[in-house]
Amino acid sequence: MEILMAFLIGIIFMSATYLMLSKSLLRIIVGTGLLSHGVHLLLLTMGGLKTGAAPLLGQHAEAYTDPLPQALILTAIVISFGITALFLVVAYRSYQELGTDNMELMRGKEGNE
Amino acid sequence: MKTNNLILQTATKVLVFIILLFSVYMFFAGHYEPGGGFIGGLMASGAIVLLLIAYDIKTVRKILPFNFIKVTATGLLFSAGTSAGALFFDKPLLTHWFTYVHPPLLGKMSLHTAVLFDTGVFLVVVGVTMTIIQTIGESE
Amino acid sequence: MSLLHLAIISPLILAIFIPFVHKTFPKIHTGWFLLPLPILLFVYFLSFLSGAIKGQATMETLPWIPSLGIDFTARVDSLGLLFALLITGIGALVVLYSIYYLSKEKEKLNQFYVYLLLFMGAMLGVVLSDNLIVLYAFWELTSFSSFLLIGYWNHRERSRYGAQKSMLITVFGGLSMLGGILLLYLMTGTFSITESIGLAEMIVTHELFTAALICFLLGAFTKSAQFPFHIWLPDAMEAPTPVSAYLHSATMVKAGIYLVARLTPIFAFSGLWIWLVAGIGIITLFWGSFSAVRHTDLKGILAYSTISQLGLIMSLLGIGAAALHYPSIDAGFYTAAVTAAVFHLLNHATFKGSLFMMVGIVDHETGTRDIRNLGGLMTIMPITFTIAVIGAFSMAGLPPFNGFLSKEMFFTGMLRAQEIGFFNMDTFGIIFPILAWIASVFTFIYSMIIVFKTFTGKFQPEKLKVKPHEAPIGMLISPVILVSLVVLIGLFPNTVAPLIKGVMGSILPQLIQEGMEFDVHIYHWHGFDSPELWMTVGVVIIGVLLYKYMAKWTGVYTRMPERFSFNAAYDNGLAMIQKGSNSFTNAYMTNSIRTYLIYIFAFFIFILGTTMVVKNAFVLDTTNVADIRAFEVVLVAIIAIGSISILFAKSRMTSIILLGAVGYSVSLFYAIFRAPDLALTQLVIETVSVALFLLAFYHLPKVNRHEEKRTFKMGNALISVGVGALVTLIALSAHSSKAFDSISQYYVENTYKKAGGENMVNVILVDFRGFDTLFEITVLGIAALGIFSLIKLRLTRGKEQ
């Protein structure tokens, strides 16, 4: 399973990178969203998959899966939500102000501060 | 968005309370079962988002006349405050404390200062999500 | 938290309330609310006095980051106490003075007093903390508050320039001091000063010793405006005069002196320390006093005078450190220099404080500080004149004031420099008394300039903006108290002797351990055969002559070309750095996000790829993998197809929906992989974010079709495939190589025991790693604020339309 996941993660990263390199602002945001999914899965896979019961002591299991990556991912999910929302609003506002979502057109002039 | 969706509105009236109740359950269960401040908070904001979809932003404003930025700030202060509380007992920051009580009828219960910290998290998550959605929604 | 800690941070706490008080009671000058605090603190610190002079030190520890050895350890010994008394005592006088100096109608008093309290707390922290990291934090806070206070009149260009200059120079020194602290930590393994002192003899041969020493001295020299870093202090005079009197003469600039005194027992076993401290000190003394004479602005003269006096104290500390090398030599031979340093530190605070306040009064009542426009004020401002005479004569080293006593002791110390029989002191040591004597002549001259050019000569009312008169009584109280101290200490110097003895014990603790008693007795009269007396007589005679014929020789100053000065070097250097970094940045900042991302990804591929190859890091271990079930393969396929098809999505809506689909599938994976918390969170988050995406893009105008057209870019594709492949390799290797056991067993064992919970993930979030969560929700809050202001604030554009 881990091997399969590693390839899946690679595919997600690849798509995300390609999206982030494109000109459209929305595609860049979608790309970052996809990238964070990839990172979360990567963290989870590194900790080992299905090595035990869910990390709830109430299960009284012999072994539990690693709770630490899960805690990290939970934090990361919420943060990436905040970041995505912020990105979206930046995109939305620049759309309103500039009337375009093409990053190349949004470039400031040389020496412009 | 179209707002005269009768079935959705009627269902929402009931569902919102169920979701909210569930979010509170999730929040308190967090220490033992899946749940906690993040999930609880998100669930609660999900309920409000449902309200938003069924009705419109003005109605929701009337129902929940909170300034969600203030909710966020309160949550942050709450979390920071409870973590700083340990300093007054000569403990490092963020040291939590818990005990078990045996109230009549309810049986064994545990009391945690971590719940207070999580309350802050809950408030921040609700506040942030709603601030985001409300400001975007209102700017149209 | 002990009372001592509370005392140190009480100014910071009060600072929180000042804006409210200022708003609630606009009729009352905000300074009155401040005044009780320094007085109370002064009384509080006085209670330590009897213990401290006996050599006892009070220590209170408050754990801060115990795992890194960083605790807020407050330690009151006599050295710290002397400074704490200066900070609170002069602080009280300065606050009182500022109440009359700053008008409550015109000035932003709330800001001023918040900055001042910030400084007071920070400075107390510097002198009373035993932990170097804590000391560093407070040290930077003093630089910061000084920046704010110098730039207080921020509408003036000179103020902003001076503030920036002081900030750049002192923070540079602060950073290098941080380097020194870390180097010292590498050698000793502790951040505690007291513990480091115990290891002093061990580290002197360590290879990092010299580097640490230089780093620390850079910090001390920049803060105490030592040559050639002195250039910030004259520009700092743009601050309101109470600030100059407080920060830039009595307290903050002495932080460097404090640091040198505090670290003497650690570093003074090295000859380099003695040479650098004494040498830089004596050069500063000479250069400061020499430069002071050319100035016509009273505050400018005082600034250079402060620089030179700081150099004087510094050089004394350097020479005095030699005592550590001769524990057996006749008591008090080299320690006399340390005695003089401590004594002069105290004296300088009294006379320079009063002189600054005097200049403030003159400025306030006449509207100018330029000595070319002043003159003949003696009869108009008799009390101010008296203050000036006492302060300046003490500074010049004339009897019977306290400056005379410490100047004599200073000569004694310098004369003994040539007796030091090592580090070439016996050959070059003669420089010290010579430079000291020349500098004293110039000190005498500028002291006379301050008094006589201002108060005697021709009265020139036509050059003054306002009609001068004597200052209000409230403004005179503080300087009068200070000059009374000048006279009292001058007449009865041995009343402060026990305190000096105690402070010396803190500076040279090793000598105390060896059973030495410091003999501190201050004499007015050394006898006709003492060289010190004749040096003073010489200073007075030559000084009077040079002052009389000043017009004949001040031409030397114009011979020094402006463009070779240190100020010019600083200005040009700064301009060059700005220009250089600007052109360098412009070379690669193309304002195109795609370029930046390509930099990032290309570097990512390069650095990780090379590591993989060089370290031979790729491993593949398939023995310990989980099973694969059919529906999991389906899920993998869905996510893979979903994420790839986003690349080909034509409309925005499609890509948003596809992203949502991927997100929901990921949450299913969480459920399969035994992470119920994650599954729940991801599910709700995905719902909310899809709603958000739709909300944000529902109302936007359709972009015309040809912009939607996408061209396939080979470069982008190459980089993305590279990133994807590399991440796959990393994921495989990360799974296959387990270098050590996971730390999660700790959480499994302790979740119930220590935190009373059963859901490990949640307990980690709120308890074990609560700090992460605290910061996380802070980030969330910031994001929300950012979004709020992005939408609600429509600044310039709205106005243009």
Side-chain angles (χ1 to χ4, degrees):
Chain A
M1 192 70 222
E2 278 88 345
I3 313 292
L4 189 61
M5 287 306 285
F7 282 99
L8 177 64
I9 292 160
I11 291 173
I12 295 178
F13 265 84
M14 185 193 72
S15 318
T17 312
Y18 191 82
L19 282 172
M20 285 168 76
L21 288 176
S22 62
K23 278 187 228 152
S24 150
L25 193 49
L26 182 73
R27 276 168 79 86
I28 294 176
I29 298 169
V30 172
T32 53
L34 204 55
L35 190 75
S36 52
H37 286 319
V39 172
H40 301 159
L41 286 177
L42 179 61
L43 275 175
L44 199 65
T45 314
M46 278 181 179
L49 299 170
K50 302 197 257 187
T51 51
L56 305 168
L57 287 174
Q59 308 244 340
H60 301 293
E62 286 285 305
Y64 297 98
T65 44
D66 201 339
L68 194 58
Q70 296 194 12
L72 295 181
I73 296 170
L74 193 69
T75 311
I77 291 177
V78 180
I79 292 269
S80 59
F81 166 68
I83 299 300
T84 312
L86 186 70
F87 266 177
L88 262 180
V89 173
V90 172
Y92 170 73
R93 286 287 294 142
S94 52
Y95 230 101
Q96 276 188 335
E97 297 277 316
L98 309 167
T100 175
D101 82 334
N102 186 331
M103 291 310 290
E104 293 301 310
L105 295 179
M106 280 187 211
R107 280 171 69 169
K109 289 189 190 77
E110 209 55 42
N112 199 355
E113 274 165 12
Chain B
M1 281 183 206
K2 291 197 184 92
T3 53
N4 52 353
N5 190 333
L6 195 65
I7 299 174
L8 182 63
Q9 286 184 357
T10 318
T12 304
K13 276 177 200 161
V14 184
L15 275 177
V16 160
F17 288 102
I18 296 177
I19 300 177
L20 278 179
L21 205 63
F22 188 57
S23 81
V24 173
Y25 164 74
M26 282 297 232
F27 167 65
F28 279 113
H31 227 58
Y32 294 94
E33 302 294 328
F38 283 116
I39 302 176
L42 283 168
M43 207 74 95
S45 15
I48 306 177
V49 171
L50 183 64
L51 266 183
L52 267 173
I53 294 174
Y55 297 91
D56 59 27
I57 211 140
K58 278 187 195 127
T59 327
V60 175
R61 248 220 172 190
K62 224 178 273 168
I63 302 170
L64 299 166
F66 304 120
N67 181 345
F68 283 102
I69 292 229
K70 280 186 186 161
V71 175
T72 314
T74 319
L76 266 179
L77 273 181
F78 216 88
S79 285
T82 41
S83 15
L87 292 179
F88 291 102
F89 298 98
D90 265 344
K91 295 272 165 55
L93 196 78
L94 276 163
T95 309
H96 286 303
W97 178 83
F98 64 93
T99 187
Y100 295 98
V101 287
H102 296 271
L105 296 178
L106 295 171
K108 188 178 163 193
M109 268 175 81
S110 60
L111 290 177
H112 289 263
T113 52
V115 172
L116 298 176
F117 182 78
D118 225 12
T119 310
V121 175
F122 182 94
L123 288 176
V124 170
V125 171
V126 174
V128 168
T129 322
M130 290 324 293
T131 310
I132 295 172
I133 289 181
Q134 235 172 32
T135 39
I136 295 181
E138 273 173 7
S139 78
E140 284 156 16
Chain C
M1 183 175 279
S2 67
L3 190 59
L4 184 55
H5 287 107
L6 203 65
I8 294 173
I9 60 166
S10 59
L12 306 181
I13 296 173
L14 183 61
I16 300 174
F17 296 103
I18 286 298
F20 300 110
V21 172
H22 178 72
K23 212 169 181 182
T24 327
F25 305 100
K27 292 240 170 67
I28 308 171
H29 197 286
T30 319
W32 291 115
F33 297 101
L34 228 75
L35 191 56
L37 181 75
I39 297 176
L40 269 177
L41 286 175
F42 185 75
V43 174
Y44 171 70
F45 284 121
L46 270 184
S47 69
F48 288 95
L49 191 62
S50 60
I53 55 178
K54 282 189 214 124
Q56 296 161 359
T58 315
M59 273 247 243
E60 296 282 355
T61 304
L62 182 71
W64 182 23
I65 317 175
S67 50
L68 295 178
I70 300 172
D71 294 310
F72 186 2
T73 308
R75 184 168 184 272
V76 188
D77 66 348
S78 26
L79 178 62
L81 187 65
L82 171 68
F83 275 90
L85 289 174
L86 279 179
I87 294 160
T88 49
I90 308 253
L93 296 178
V94 162
V95 170
L96 176 66
Y97 177 79
S98 71
I99 291 174
Y100 292 92
Y101 188 83
L102 293 170
S103 131
K104 68 170 179 283
E105 285 84 19
K106 287 184 215 139
E107 308 284 356
K108 302 158 284 185
L109 289 177
N110 48 346
Q111 294 182 10
F112 179 80
Y113 285 113
V114 167
Y115 301 161
L116 201 71
L117 283 172
L118 216 61
F119 169 75
M120 199 185 282
M123 196 64 207
L124 282 176
V126 166
V127 299
L128 294 179
S129 43
D130 186 53
N131 190 293
L132 281 167
I133 294 287
V134 178
L135 187 148
Y136 169 73
F138 280 120
W139 180 278
E140 293 294 37
L141 191 56
T142 61
S143 298
F144 175 66
S145 48
S146 152
F147 168 80
L148 290 171
L149 283 167
I150 297 171
Y152 172 64
W153 284 315
N154 51 20
H155 49 89
R156 294 188 192 167
E157 205 268 329
R158 292 294 307 168
S159 293
R160 298 198 300 269
Y161 173 78
Q164 190 202 34
K165 195 171 185 177
S166 79
M167 183 82 161
L168 283 177
I169 295 180
T170 51
V171 168
F172 157 74
L175 280 177
S176 104
M177 186 176 109
L178 179 64
I181 292 172
L182 296 178
L183 288 175
L184 189 65
Y185 180 76
L186 288 180
M187 292 188 279
T188 61
T190 173
F191 285 122
S192 157
I193 299 175
T194 22
E195 284 171 30
S196 304
I197 291 176
L199 302 167
E201 297 194 31
M202 188 196 82
I203 61 170
V204 74
T205 49
H206 199 284
E207 53 183 353
L208 295 174
F209 181 81
T210 311
L213 187 155
I214 290 173
C215 282
F216 270 112
L217 282 185
L218 274 177
F221 287 168
T222 48
K223 197 73 158 184
S224 282
Q226 297 295 295
F227 185 90
F229 305 112
H230 62 278
I231 49 171
W232 69 266
L233 193 58
D235 285 303
M237 291 300 137
E238 291 300 321
T241 305
V243 173
S244 311
Y246 189 32
L247 271 72
H248 305 125
S249 85
T251 54
M252 189 187 86
V253 288
K254 295 215 172 91
I257 307 259
Y258 168 79
L259 190 73
V260 167
R262 188 51 101 200
L263 298 177
T264 295
I266 301 180
F267 286 109
F269 289 99
S270 138
L272 186 65
W273 174 273
I274 295 178
W275 261 112
L276 275 179
V277 175
I280 296 286
I282 201 87
I283 294 172
T284 310
L285 164 65
F286 167 73
W287 187 251
S289 59
F290 177 68
S291 307
V293 177
R294 70 190 291 200
H295 279 264
T296 53
D297 175 12
L298 279 175
K299 270 181 100 174
I301 300 175
L302 284 184
Y304 275 101
S305 137
T306 305
I307 292 170
S308 88
Q309 303 276 324
L310 291 169
L312 185 155
I313 302 173
M314 204 58 105
S315 63
L316 280 171
L317 283 175
I319 298 294
L324 282 177
H325 295 265
Y326 295 105
S328 53
I329 262 195
D330 152 42
F333 190 71
Y334 292 118
T335 53
V338 180
T339 316
V342 178
F343 189 41
H344 195 72
L345 180 84
L346 186 66
N347 295 342
H348 179 249
T350 55
F351 66 67
K352 192 54 71 61
S354 62
L355 281 177
F356 263 110
M357 290 178 184
M358 178 279 289
V359 168
I361 292 173
V362 170
D363 189 14
H364 203 257
E365 307 305 337
T366 65
T368 180
R369 302 190 306 246
D370 195 323
I371 46 174
R372 285 169 298 188
N373 300 338
L374 291 166
L377 294 176
M378 186 162 66
T379 48
I380 303 165
M381 307 167 85
I383 303 176
T384 316
F385 171 65
T386 318
I387 295 167
V389 167
I390 298 176
F393 281 22
S394 175
M395 181 158 73
L398 295 174
F401 307 115
N402 56 7
F404 165 70
L405 300 168
S406 44
K407 177 85 41 127
E408 294 263 287
M409 291 164 71
F410 164 62
F411 285 149
T412 314
M414 288 299 128
L415 284 169
R416 286 177 186 173
Q418 43 186 327
E419 310 276 331
I420 302 175
F422 51 88
F423 311 132
N424 295 329
M425 271 290 182
D426 36 0
T427 31
F428 296 111
I430 188 72
I431 299 171
F432 286 92
I434 294 175
L435 274 181
W437 186 81
I438 299 175
S440 301
V441 174
F442 282 108
T443 307
F444 183 85
I445 298 171
Y446 70 68
S447 303
M448 295 307 115
I449 291 177
I450 291 174
V451 178
F452 293 112
K453 298 266 174 173
T454 314
F455 291 98
T456 61
K458 213 171 131 266
F459 181 47
Q460 304 160 306
E462 69 282 356
K463 287 188 182 169
L464 304 178
K465 288 179 205 137
V466 285
K467 195 175 169 310
H469 53 84
E470 184 60 278
I473 186 79
M475 227 165 158
L476 290 167
I477 296 174
S478 300
V480 164
I481 292 176
L482 284 174
V483 292
S484 325
L485 281 174
V486 169
V487 177
L488 284 177
I489 297 178
L491 293 177
F492 310 104
N494 289 311
T495 44
V496 293
L499 179 62
I500 296 176
K501 208 188 269 184
V503 176
M504 287 172 68
S506 310
I507 301 177
L508 305 165
Q510 280 98 340
L511 297 184
I512 296 253
Q513 279 163 14
E514 285 169 25
M516 189 189 272
E517 268 284 316
F518 295 116
D519 171 40
V520 177
H521 198 86
I522 301 158
Y523 302 97
H524 287 90
W525 180 246
H526 288 77
F528 279 117
D529 51 349
S530 69
E532 292 91 343
L533 175 70
W534 296 110
M535 281 169 92
T536 305
V537 171
V539 165
V540 175
I541 293 170
I542 305 286
V544 169
L545 284 177
L546 282 176
Y547 178 72
K548 269 261 184 259
Y549 300 102
M550 234 171 93
K552 298 243 161 75
W553 59 273
T554 40
V556 281
Y557 289 112
T558 53
R559 279 170 199 273
M560 291 193 296
E562 193 59 39
R563 75 201 149 89
F564 291 125
S565 69
F566 291 101
N567 270 318
Y570 165 83
D571 289 338
N572 293 337
L574 201 62
M576 257 162 59
I577 290 172
Q578 277 180 358
K579 219 173 134 193
S581 55
N582 205 9
S583 57
F584 178 69
T585 309
N586 281 341
Y588 68 91
M589 299 295 272
T590 60
N591 285 347
S592 156
I593 189 155
R594 195 177 148 258
T595 325
Y596 302 155
L597 285 173
I598 286 181
Y599 292 150
I600 295 172
F601 286 127
F603 186 73
F604 174 83
I605 296 174
F606 170 73
I607 200 87
L608 293 177
T610 341
T611 316
M612 275 259 169
V613 175
V614 172
K615 299 256 174 193
N616 203 9
F618 181 72
V619 265
L620 185 58
D621 174 17
T622 51
T623 51
N624 192 23
V625 291
D627 52 332
I628 303 175
R629 276 174 290 176
F631 65 92
E632 289 166 358
V633 178
V634 174
L635 261 184
V636 168
I638 290 176
I639 295 183
I641 294 169
S643 47
I644 290 176
S645 47
I646 298 181
L647 304 182
F648 303 102
K650 279 274 180 317
S651 77
R652 293 197 207 106
M653 200 58 98
T654 327
S655 46
I656 291 170
I657 289 170
L658 280 171
L659 182 67
V662 171
Y664 285 118
S665 321
V666 168
S667 77
L668 278 178
F669 260 131
Y670 292 144
I672 294 170
F673 294 148
R674 319 272 194 271
D677 285 277
L678 294 187
L680 275 169
T681 314
Q682 180 71 43
L683 213 61
V684 188
I685 284 263
E686 211 50 52
T687 314
V688 178
S689 11
V690 169
L692 206 65
F693 265 100
L694 294 180
L695 200 62
F697 278 85
Y698 191 77
H699 292 271
L700 285 181
K702 278 267 179 292
V703 190
N704 26 359
R705 290 304 301 173
H706 79 99
E707 268 190 81
E708 293 274 318
K709 228 185 278 171
R710 297 210 170 78
T711 45
F712 178 76
K713 281 227 176 71
M714 199 56 212
N716 293 2
L718 266 178
I719 286 183
S720 348
V721 171
V723 170
L726 198 70
V727 171
T728 309
L729 292 183
I730 290 173
L732 288 174
S733 323
H735 168 258
S736 304
S737 54
K738 295 271 183 281
F740 41 82
D741 282 338
S742 163
I743 56 169
S744 5
Q745 198 52 35
Y746 173 82
Y747 298 114
V748 177
E749 278 161 15
N750 289 308
T751 298
Y752 193 75
K753 234 186 294 170
K754 289 201 174 152
E758 288 180 351
N759 180 354
M760 289 178 230
V761 176
N762 187 260
V763 169
I764 291 176
L765 282 177
V766 296
D767 200 332
F768 290 127
R769 298 193 62 86
F771 219 41
D772 291 359
T773 311
L774 193 59
F775 281 126
E776 178 196 356
I777 54 177
T778 314
V779 170
L780 271 188
I782 293 169
L785 276 184
I787 290 169
F788 188 76
S789 40
L790 266 172
I791 300 246
K792 298 275 164 171
L793 274 181
R794 309 265 157 127
L795 291 176
T796 49
R797 205 157 271 263
K799 273 179 209 154
E800 280 164 26
Q801 287 163 357

